[in-house]
Amino acid sequence: MAPKKEVKQEKVMLGRPGNNLKSGIVGLANVGKSTFFQALTKCQLGNPANFPYATINPEEARVVVPDERFDWLCSHYKPKSEVPSNLTVYDIAGLTRGASTGAGLGNAFLSHIRAVDAIFQVVRCFDDAEIIHVEGDVDPIRDLEIISEELRLKDIEFTEKALENLSKQTRRGGQTLEMKKMKEEQATVEKVLEILKEGKDVRHQDWSPKEVETINPLFLLSAKPVVYLVNLSERDYIRQKNKHLPKIAEWTKSHAPGDPIIPISVSFEDRLTRFESQKEIDEECEKVGAKSSLPKIITTMRKSMNLGSFFTTGSDEVRQWTIRNGTKAPQAAGVIHGDFEKTFIQAVIYPYNILKELGSEAEVKSQGKVMTKGKDYVVEDGDIILIKAGAAKG
């Protein structure tokens, strides 16, 4: 007998499915969140001020994603219109100890985090007598502990509520398929609760596709990907040294394994935004011997959210589209236009790196590198795509 072929189980991502994902900037009050938001978005939407809760409502902006492939395609096609990918970023009011029980702006703050798909967590590592620290002194490990504990306490509350609702229903008993499904869901929610009570975060555990289906609608705060931004003084950032950095690396290794840590100097980034031209920015970076960490921050967050890109090209427009990695061709077509997903026929595809290597579309075609793919094709990061779809039904 031939050995049974093992079916590879697809790993299902925690979090909201979809391609229009948002990230939120989170941290204690006065750690540099709003100034970081302004530097990142090159706009004045945030409201940095030297007191807690300067940002009352989450402010939103879209940030262009830096991508050399997009830049190359634009210089190659010289289109009338250039539309890069962007990342939606929210600046969220500062957290305080006790937020999970409503302290400060606790409940509003936590509901705003629930609405985003990933978190930039800003941690203060700079001393400045002019900028008060809500906890009295600079201690990034304590700050990290406060935030992770507050988010976890709120998750426990959400999970207990969900468990209570499920228990009411499963108590009725019975052997129906619906009851079996509810009992499985209850077992998953109990497992989540146990993990949270042990002081662990949901995102660092292994979950089966079925468990993920139960976890995602709970919108748990500790299930969201996190990128840690360590806010240093300009001096420390330039010399790449700070007494707190080794301790932060140690803390994340044991509490948040695999989560990226990026050192940043918000005051340096803020100073760079004041220059008139890119040439002046480049000259300043060369003079001080440091460069902006904003491009790395944006691309790292995209990676943490498992986002990729495909391109549509031509002399009229070059556009970069954002999708979740693992998206199939019809769903990718739906990002361009909702009707295309329903009326999808096929996709004509070739990878960006083949076009760059061969130099022209004509050469790509003559070498037989153009592929025609159907509904089951999983779009690869960097694909150049032409969608063929039928007429939408009126």
Side-chain angles (χ1 to χ4, degrees):
M1 248 176 83
K4 204 172 174 189
K5 196 176 175 190
E6 199 180 318
V7 179
K8 188 172 180 269
Q9 199 177 40
E10 272 186 53
K11 189 167 165 55
V12 179
M13 289 282 292
L14 280 170
R16 206 165 53 104
N19 305 305
N20 183 24
L21 302 183
K22 301 162 184 173
S23 51
I25 304 168
V26 170
L28 296 182
N30 289 356
V31 295
K33 297 183 310 302
S34 292
T35 312
F36 165 64
F37 176 79
Q38 284 189 359
L40 185 67
T41 57
K42 305 285 187 290
C43 68
Q44 298 300 312
L45 276 176
N47 176 25
N50 181 22
F51 54 90
Y53 323 129
T55 313
I56 303 295
N57 296 311
E59 306 281 11
E60 178 187 357
R62 284 186 171 160
V63 187
V64 170
V65 174
D67 196 317
E68 287 172 359
R69 300 170 302 180
F70 177 75
D71 298 341
W72 185 88
L73 288 168
C74 289
S75 66
H76 179 74
Y77 284 96
K78 299 184 174 49
K80 292 173 193 149
S81 166
E82 300 175 2
V83 187
S85 265
N86 53 56
L87 183 69
T88 304
V89 183
Y90 279 86
D91 179 20
I92 298 172
L95 176 90
T96 50
R97 196 193 288 273
S100 55
T101 55
L105 297 166
N107 293 325
F109 166 89
L110 293 160
S111 71
H112 294 149
I113 302 187
R114 272 195 114 180
V116 300
D117 302 284
I119 295 169
F120 283 121
Q121 191 167 314
V122 183
V123 185
R124 176 172 167 176
C125 283
F126 64 90
D127 292 300
D128 186 337
E130 298 293 308
I131 301 174
I132 56 173
H133 190 293
V134 73
E135 285 289 320
D137 63 344
V138 175
D139 180 350
I141 302 303
R142 177 206 55 217
D143 296 357
L144 286 163
E145 295 279 4
I146 289 173
I147 291 176
S148 71
E149 190 183 341
E150 292 301 332
L151 300 190
R152 226 174 12 252
L153 286 170
K154 203 65 189 173
D155 277 354
I156 288 171
E157 192 187 304
F158 294 142
T159 310
E160 284 177 339
K161 219 171 264 178
L163 189 57
E164 196 183 313
N165 291 338
L166 280 165
S167 303
K168 274 179 195 164
Q169 295 174 68
T170 55
R171 263 189 232 118
R172 299 199 310 261
Q175 299 301 315
T176 63
L177 281 172
E178 193 190 354
M179 184 55 71
K180 183 175 179 267
K181 186 172 178 281
M182 276 196 290
K183 283 183 174 168
E184 282 172 1
E185 284 177 11
Q186 185 176 340
T188 300
V189 174
E190 282 167 353
K191 186 175 161 185
V192 168
L193 189 57
E194 198 180 318
I195 279 162
L196 289 166
K197 285 187 170 175
E198 284 170 7
K200 295 173 187 165
D201 289 332
V202 172
R203 71 182 177 282
H204 295 127
Q205 315 307 313
D206 281 324
W207 303 102
S208 71
K210 253 190 175 169
E211 287 172 327
V212 170
E213 275 176 36
T214 302
I215 294 167
N216 281 348
L218 298 173
F219 298 110
L220 298 176
L221 307 175
S222 71
K224 300 175 191 295
V226 175
V227 174
Y228 291 96
L229 302 178
V230 181
N231 188 9
L232 309 172
S233 67
E234 188 170 329
R235 180 174 171 269
D236 284 359
Y237 177 71
I238 289 167
R239 66 191 188 119
Q240 297 185 326
K241 273 185 183 170
N242 178 280
K243 63 183 178 187
H244 299 295
L245 280 173
K247 294 180 213 160
I248 292 170
E250 202 52 48
W251 186 88
T252 49
K253 202 168 149 188
S254 55
H255 293 80
D259 289 354
I261 309 171
I262 302 176
I264 175 176
S265 168
V266 170
S267 60
F268 175 62
E269 301 294 349
D270 181 49
R271 198 161 67 75
L272 292 184
T273 63
R274 296 168 201 279
F275 288 102
E276 296 293 317
S277 67
Q278 188 58 47
K279 185 172 177 279
E280 287 176 303
I281 291 171
D282 294 342
E283 282 169 0
E284 181 61 21
C285 288
E286 201 174 321
K287 190 173 104 184
V288 300
K291 59 182 183 179
S292 168
S293 33
L294 299 183
K296 185 183 179 183
I297 287 168
I298 298 164
T299 52
T300 303
M301 177 50 88
R302 258 173 77 90
K303 200 173 166 189
S304 295
M305 292 163 89
N306 198 31
L307 296 174
S309 296
F310 71 90
F311 301 93
T312 50
T313 56
S315 56
D316 278 343
E317 180 182 84
V318 168
R319 186 186 280 247
Q320 182 174 9
W321 304 88
T322 298
I323 51 167
R324 209 78 189 262
N325 290 322
T327 299
K328 289 188 174 171
Q331 287 72 46
V335 174
I336 299 173
H337 194 292
D339 288 343
F340 289 176
E341 182 173 353
K342 300 178 208 123
T343 61
F344 177 88
I345 297 169
Q346 63 187 31
V348 177
I349 290 167
Y350 50 92
Y352 157 81
N353 53 9
I354 298 282
L355 174 67
K356 192 179 178 194
E357 185 190 322
L358 298 178
S360 72
E361 271 181 49
E363 199 56 35
V364 173
K365 283 173 187 160
S366 76
Q367 294 213 18
K369 300 288 186 185
V370 177
M371 306 173 283
T372 302
K373 297 288 185 181
K375 290 183 177 178
D376 289 331
Y377 176 73
V378 175
V379 176
E380 294 282 331
D381 183 43
D383 277 350
I384 294 169
I385 302 182
L386 172 67
I387 301 292
K388 295 194 173 175
K393 288 172 185 152

